[in-house]
Amino acid sequence: MSDATSFWSPALRGLVPYIPGEQPLIEGLVKLNTNENPYPPSPRVVAAIRAAAQEGLQLYPDPQAAGLRQAIADFHGIAAGQVFAGNGSDEVLAHAFFAFFRQGKPVLMPDISYSFYKVYCGLYGIDAGIVPLDAALRIDVAQYRAPCGGVVIANPNAPTGTGLPLADIEQLLQQHSRSVVLVDEAYVDFGGESAIGLVNRYPNLLVVQTLSKSRSLAGLRVGFAAGQRHLIEALEVVKDSFNSYPLDRLALAGATAAYEDRAYFERTRAAVMQSREGLRCDLQELGFEVLPSQANFLMVRHPAHDAAALAAGLREQRILVRHFRLPRIEQYLRISVGTPAQCAALVAACRALVSDQ
């Protein structure tokens, strides 16, 4: 029998795909491994999706996502023409890599960050210019001075959770004024500083956000980019070369409603941040080292306990956290912030594990 991969293209054979967090179909789990919001979406989102499902599904959705783009623009104080909407921020990022980073020069990115960035580089034949985080696992923008075809960073960074001030973002934009600087703000609503307010000042700035985290819509798959019109036009060209209708009618309706319900957004994100700080204090009392976080997760390690063993012990108690078997962070666990009850269950389980010598 011939090798089935003989049908694959040469480019596909060399790809190393992204591995998403585990999504086990087991009831009763305390699931703190994929940074989902512990709270459901706004009731207005559910109502909007239900209404959209009752009529119009026989018709294609708006390929321009005009209503959603306007809602996002109104929220952030920019023009609708400065917003691009896509099927999750992962798709938006993929389009941006294709549109802006195939320059024959490396794209600078942190060594410890969202691993999909390296996947996109492999997919599109882009060289990844890896810049190590500093000893405290923070991005040091002074190390991003090398000539390049662009810069991509997550702010706050993932999986570490640490954030950069806008002054550092502006330094990157000024240092690389002839290249696109992409700032991935998946977690910015949990205490970070968004760079969207800088869009009108910097023609090389592209900011990407998602509705998966702070708006509790991981299951709906909606993301967007904000930038000056020439950058948005480039993304539109790429989109219309792949799929002119990336967002369906239900996603458009639900995402628009999420942006219109500001009170619910503010209430739930505040609840997550409050739980994060309580969880940080509780884990530190148990001897864990906790990295500073402006995200909806904590990156932690215990000096007396192996991270893999802790993750396995938590799993035995039906609690899932994320363990990365990667250089420099193999002794850390990334723990998503849950409800107060979920956080209490995690702390109780950790207490039992670290006390069991």
Side-chain angles (χ1 to χ4, degrees):
M1 181 181 293
S2 63
D3 181 2
T5 62
S6 63
F7 296 106
W8 295 13
S9 72
L12 181 60
R13 290 172 182 268
L15 289 182
V16 179
Y18 173 75
I19 300 175
E22 185 181 5
Q23 296 284 359
L25 299 177
I26 302 173
E27 293 185 3
L29 288 176
V30 176
K31 190 173 179 298
L32 304 176
N33 65 322
T34 49
N35 298 343
E36 293 139 325
N37 198 309
Y39 301 104
S42 161
R44 289 172 60 175
V45 170
V46 178
I49 292 173
R50 184 176 292 115
Q54 292 174 348
E55 61 177 298
L57 289 185
Q58 74 277 17
L59 304 175
Y60 284 110
D62 175 12
Q64 304 303 322
L68 174 58
R69 291 168 62 198
Q70 188 63 61
I72 294 170
D74 290 344
F75 184 91
H76 291 288
I78 57 178
Q82 295 175 307
V83 177
F84 173 86
N87 184 15
S89 62
D90 288 335
E91 180 185 74
V92 177
L93 289 167
H95 289 348
F97 270 69
F98 187 89
F100 306 121
F101 295 153
R102 299 187 70 189
Q103 305 283 358
K105 302 176 183 178
V107 175
L108 302 183
M109 63 185 70
D111 62 334
I112 301 169
S113 193
Y114 187 30
S115 58
F116 231 140
Y117 303 151
K118 295 178 184 177
V119 174
Y120 296 138
C121 286
L123 181 63
Y124 296 132
I126 301 167
D127 289 334
I130 304 302
V131 182
L133 299 182
D134 67 16
L137 297 182
R138 296 175 180 268
I139 294 172
D140 180 1
V141 296
Q143 303 303 312
Y144 284 74
R145 298 183 183 278
C148 64
V151 177
V152 56
I153 61 168
N155 191 41
N157 192 32
T160 60
T162 54
L164 291 175
L166 289 184
D168 283 0
I169 302 298
E170 288 199 79
Q171 184 175 333
L172 286 174
L173 290 162
Q174 293 163 4
Q175 287 174 182
H176 300 285
S177 60
R178 299 182 65 83
S179 300
V180 169
V181 174
L182 191 160
V183 183
D184 182 357
E185 295 185 342
Y187 302 100
V188 74
D189 292 325
F190 299 107
E193 293 183 273
S194 177
I196 290 181
L198 301 176
V199 159
N200 287 325
R201 293 169 52 190
Y202 292 96
N204 59 326
L205 171 62
L206 188 74
V207 180
V208 175
Q209 289 193 13
T210 177
L211 278 71
S212 294
K213 314 300 182 183
S214 59
R215 287 180 171 79
S216 306
L217 291 177
L220 207 59
R221 312 310 302 131
V222 181
F224 73 90
Q228 291 190 17
R229 184 59 196 158
H230 58 278
L231 299 182
I232 302 305
E233 287 178 343
L235 294 175
E236 290 170 348
V237 169
V238 176
K239 172 185 78 77
D240 290 335
S241 300
F242 279 96
N243 176 13
S244 295
Y245 303 97
L247 288 171
D248 61 47
R249 285 176 169 267
L250 305 186
L252 289 171
T256 302
Y259 261 92
E260 292 173 344
D261 194 347
R262 298 193 183 204
Y264 187 87
F265 162 73
E266 294 291 350
R267 185 164 63 251
T268 52
R269 79 183 184 110
V272 170
M273 289 189 286
Q274 182 176 5
S275 292
R276 180 189 67 206
E277 295 311 302
L279 181 59
R280 175 184 62 81
C281 292
D282 289 341
L283 290 174
Q284 286 177 330
E285 288 181 2
L286 294 177
F288 283 89
E289 299 173 8
V290 184
L291 296 183
S293 176
Q294 293 174 300
N296 68 335
F297 58 85
L298 295 174
M299 194 77 161
V300 310
R301 67 178 176 181
H302 198 289
H305 294 270
D306 177 69
L310 286 173
L314 289 170
R315 188 182 183 91
E316 289 179 358
Q317 300 186 56
R318 302 176 68 82
I319 299 174
L320 296 186
V321 297
R322 192 77 185 266
H323 176 232
F324 297 92
R325 298 180 183 276
L326 298 171
R328 302 187 69 191
I329 59 171
E330 66 271 11
Q331 286 304 317
Y332 283 88
L333 299 176
R334 193 194 66 191
I335 303 173
S336 306
V337 177
T339 63
Q342 290 173 326
C343 291
L346 170 81
V347 171
C350 286
R351 181 177 291 109
L353 288 171
V354 301
S355 301
D356 186 14
Q357 297 283 357

